[in-house]
Each structure stands twice: as C-alpha cells, then as structure tokens.
Amino acid sequence: MPKKFLRRVLPNRETIERIPISRRFTHRLDRPGLWDVEREPVALGLAIGVLCGMIPGPLQMIAAIALACLLRVNLPMAIIGTFLTNPITIVPIYMLAYGIGQSLSGTGQWHELPAIPVTDWTQLLSSIQAWVAWVGNLGTPWLVGMLILSLSLAALSYCSVQLIWRTCRFWSLRCIQIQRKQRSAPINKAMM
C-alpha cells in the first residue's frame, strides 16, 4: 500500500528531466537506488532529508541531494525531508535546539536567549564585536542542541517510516487472509 501510494505521488526521473534547469544534471541521476520505492531506501531518504534540513542556510537541499546520491537512497524523499524546516517551523526548532543545548550544559533558564546587543552603527567596530560576542554566547548551546535534535528527528523519521510501512503491509496481508477465508468458506460448506 505505501509503495503504490508513493509511486503515485513522488516525482520520478522523467518528471525531473522535464524541468529545464535539471536537464544538465540528469546523467548523474542514473544511479541505482535513487528512485527505488522500497521500505529501506524511502526510510533512509527521509531520515537524510530531515538531518540535512537542520543545516542552517541554503545548503539543505544540496546536502540532501549529495548524501542521497552518495548513499543511493530515495532522492525525492530526501528532498521532501528538508522541508521539515521552513519559514513557519524554523524559529521553534532553533529555539528548541538552543534550549536542549542550554539544558545539557546546565546554564540558566533555557527559554531565554542572551540579551541582544545594543547596536550603535556610528561605532562600527564595537558594534560588530558586540554581535560576534552575542553569536558566540548563542553558539555552543545551539550547536550541541542542533546536533542532538537533528539526529533524534532523523532517527524518529526513519523509525516512523519503517513502522508505517510494516503496519500497512501487515494490514494488507491480513485483509488478503480474510478474503481467502471468506472465499473458501462456501466451498467448505458445499463439500459437507
């Protein structure tokens, strides 16, 4: 069931080739595994996408595509996984990462960011130094929190796909067994 659904909704290689900007890269998309719609490549692709989606800045999709090609997992799921961080979710996720990092380092209350520095642009050097110091204060707890949060969310997405896929497969097999029993029941009654 998930395989049929994903084959229907995920873009395939031919769909990607129709996009003009991607035509010069299509020869690199011939690797086996990039378009497989099987449980393991899909789960790993989503996990890689979620992991790369936590990278700050515009490198998320580039990193997801590179890792998907390198590890030969489902490329569309890797790209979809990067959309976990979007303009709506980025601030809460980064605040959560900062809170996790602060709670692990044992400093202060996790919901408070360091005070934003007062900026006097007439004294450019001191303003830049104040901002660099502010980023430095934010940095270590945020980096530790991002590392832990990104690995946790990637593992959670991998396990979720595995669980959903196996559950759907179980119920599909269960329905087939029930249908077989129902079809064989009239034959058994007729033989008696």
Side-chain angles (χ1 to χ4, degrees), residues 29-157:
L29 301 178
D30 285 338
R31 296 179 185 216
L34 292 181
W35 306 102
D36 284 352
V37 183
E38 298 293 332
R39 181 174 38 96
E40 197 65 28
V42 168
L44 282 172
L46 185 64
I48 285 171
V50 168
L51 184 71
C52 292
M54 302 301 264
I55 297 171
L59 302 174
Q60 298 172 339
M61 280 197 198
I62 295 168
I65 291 169
L67 279 175
C69 290
L70 182 68
L71 299 175
R72 296 183 181 180
V73 298
N74 190 281
L75 180 64
M77 288 303 285
I79 292 171
I80 288 170
T82 62
F83 293 121
L84 174 67
T85 53
N86 56 57
I88 296 170
T89 62
I90 194 89
V91 173
I93 287 174
Y94 282 10
M95 288 294 297
L96 179 61
Y98 181 71
I100 290 170
Q102 242 189 354
S103 65
L104 288 176
S105 64
T107 58
Q109 295 186 1
W110 73 271
H111 61 277
E112 292 182 15
L113 287 172
I116 296 176
V118 177
T119 307
D120 181 13
W121 293 111
T122 59
Q123 298 189 356
L124 185 61
L125 186 60
S126 64
S127 295
I128 290 173
Q129 288 174 345
W131 279 99
V132 168
W134 183 77
V135 170
N137 290 336
L138 182 67
T140 303
W142 180 76
L143 284 174
V144 169
M146 280 302 288
L147 181 65
I148 291 170
L149 186 62
S150 62
L151 290 174
S152 300
L153 289 175
L156 180 66
S157 65

Side-chain angles (χ1 to χ4, degrees), residues 3 6-7 9-19 22 25-39 41-42 65 68-69 72-79 165:
K3 187 187 286 191
L6 289 175
R7 281 194 177 140
V9 298
L10 288 178
N12 56 17
R13 186 170 180 265
E14 291 78 29
T15 306
I16 301 297
E17 285 178 345
R18 283 188 236 139
I19 301 170
S22 68
F25 301 110
T26 54
H27 67 280
R28 295 186 181 170
L29 301 178
D30 285 338
R31 296 179 185 216
L34 292 181
W35 306 102
D36 284 352
V37 183
E38 298 293 332
R39 181 174 38 96
V42 168
I65 291 169
C69 290
R72 296 183 181 180
V73 298
N74 190 281
L75 180 64
M77 288 303 285
I79 292 171
W165 198 289

